[in-house]
Amino acid sequence: ASSMRGMALVAGLLLQAATLHTAAAFQAPHPQPSIARSSLRPSPMATRRHATTMAARGRAGPESSKRGGVTGPLGGTSGELEWAMNSEGNLEREVVPTPTKEAVPMTFKERLQSIRKNRKVRIVSFLTLWYAFNAGFNVTNKQLLNQFAFPWVVSWFQLAIGLLYVLPAWKTGIKKPPKVNKALLLSFLPISLLHAGGHMSQVASMGLGSVFFTHVIKASEPVIGTFVVLAFTGKIAPWYVNLCLAPVVGGVAYAAMKPGTLFDLSLLWSAPSLLAFASTVAFAIAKLLAKNQMTPEIKKRSNLDAANNYALLTCCSASVLFLPSLLVEGRPALAAFNAMGSAQPQFILDLLRCGAFYYAYNEMGFRVLDMLSQVSAALANSAKRVVILFAAVFFLGESVTQRKLIGSTIAITGVTMYSVAKALAGRAQKAAKDKAGVTEAEAQKQVERDRSKPKVLVTEEVEETGSWQP
């Protein structure tokens, strides 16, 4: 028994010595391909433990492969390093190839998600849908008003139909709803009143006149917007920016001249023209209010992204327009609807389609303008007007005289020049402020000081893209 205990003690000492020797060899700073011969062999447990450690290093990537892996042609590891006994009883490092994973084809859902994340694809898609829905709305709106001449009721339905999409989307969680409180609703109230009035006015203008000429009048938006900003804030753009307004005024005036006359502008004082001007004024004031009240902090706190901003504006505008529409045209509109007889189902479908076009084109406009720079947004807006004028001629068959065509071209060119010049001037001023090291706090203090001065201020400030657009 004592002999057996002695042999076990000797075997344990030998095993401990072999383990220490092997550990010292593994911790060498630059291990060679094979370890010097030794009469002592490490235990199988030590060998397996170190093989696991080296395999983990080989899987750790390019950085770990410098220590224990084999670097492949692309910078990764082409195999795993393991230690094993050779035929002579020594430990050697050998590479065990790592099985390569075959490329898995993308599913349709994954392809769709990758396309949605592509910024260029999104911009092109939103622009295309914006133009298509805009043209669709103007065409179907005119067709509706030709058979149902009640612009108050039609404009309210166009706003209210948008709620059929907005409210279920918020309720089901498809779209994250905004955080609405009393203060936010009160701040939206004047903007909603102006938006509802502006929408009703443009619908009535297109019903009484032509879609083509209504949008020629609405091309005067930069001129009206300049006077609105000057009247409410005392600010005006530099002279070289305002110089671009000359072709806008000239083009609208030339398009409004009666054929065979030189200075007969009586068409500008007709009911369709005055309604188009009133719509443009309402939208310009609403834009100014939205810019001052809907600050980035309020938008972030209330979850008012581009889509939710317009969705909430639609809800509020439909609410404030309901009672006036009911009082002004409710009873005669109901009588006219009952008189349609068998044409009622088709009329309801046309009304739903028109309302869907209206909401969709506005939401697409908010989305795409939120992604574009000021210059790109200006060009996109000008192209939108060209698309609408083309749709009025091609789909509605509206006759366009040579005078109107030339005048509208000059006006839209002036709008583009003005928008681009204003954006470039604002960008240059912002770059100068950044170079001078003017902080946001200092800029805000300067704005407050300027407001207290009773004089006209020349400003080149950059408007926030996607903030509001009619």
Side-chain angles (χ1 to χ4, degrees), residues 210 212-213 216 254-260 267 393 398-409:
S210 66
F212 189 97
F213 191 67
V216 172
Y254 186 77
M257 290 182 186
K258 288 185 177 180
L267 190 59
V393 175
E398 294 184 353
S399 59
V400 181
T401 63
Q402 184 180 4
R403 186 184 294 267
K404 285 185 179 181
L405 186 61
I406 295 175
S408 61
T409 303

Side-chain angles (χ1 to χ4, degrees), residues 98-104:
T98 303
T100 58
K101 295 183 178 179
E102 297 182 358
V104 180

Side-chain angles (χ1 to χ4, degrees), residues 328-339:
V328 175
E329 294 179 347
R331 186 172 296 178
L334 181 61
F337 176 75
N338 292 330

Side-chain angles (χ1 to χ4, degrees), residues 111 132 143 431:
R111 290 180 181 273
Q143 292 171 343

Side-chain angles (χ1 to χ4, degrees), residues 311-393:
L312 185 58
L313 181 64
T314 299
C315 295
C316 296
S317 300
S319 300
V320 300
L321 189 60
F322 173 72
L323 187 58
S325 301
L326 184 64
L327 294 176
V328 175
E329 294 179 347
R331 186 172 296 178
L334 181 61
F337 176 75
N338 292 330
M340 289 183 181
S342 59
Q344 287 181 352
Q346 184 61 43
F347 174 78
I348 293 175
L349 289 177
D350 292 340
L351 188 61
L352 289 173
R353 183 177 56 174
C354 184
F357 280 149
Y358 177 73
Y359 182 84
Y361 102 72
N362 275 283
E363 179 167 330
M364 289 299 107
F366 269 78
R367 286 181 180 273
V368 73
L369 294 181
D370 197 41
M371 300 173 67
L372 297 176
S373 64
Q374 286 81 12
V375 176
S376 299
L379 297 175
N381 258 318
S382 298
K384 177 200 72 173
R385 297 193 185 279
V386 175
V387 170
I388 295 174
L389 297 181
F390 174 79
V393 175

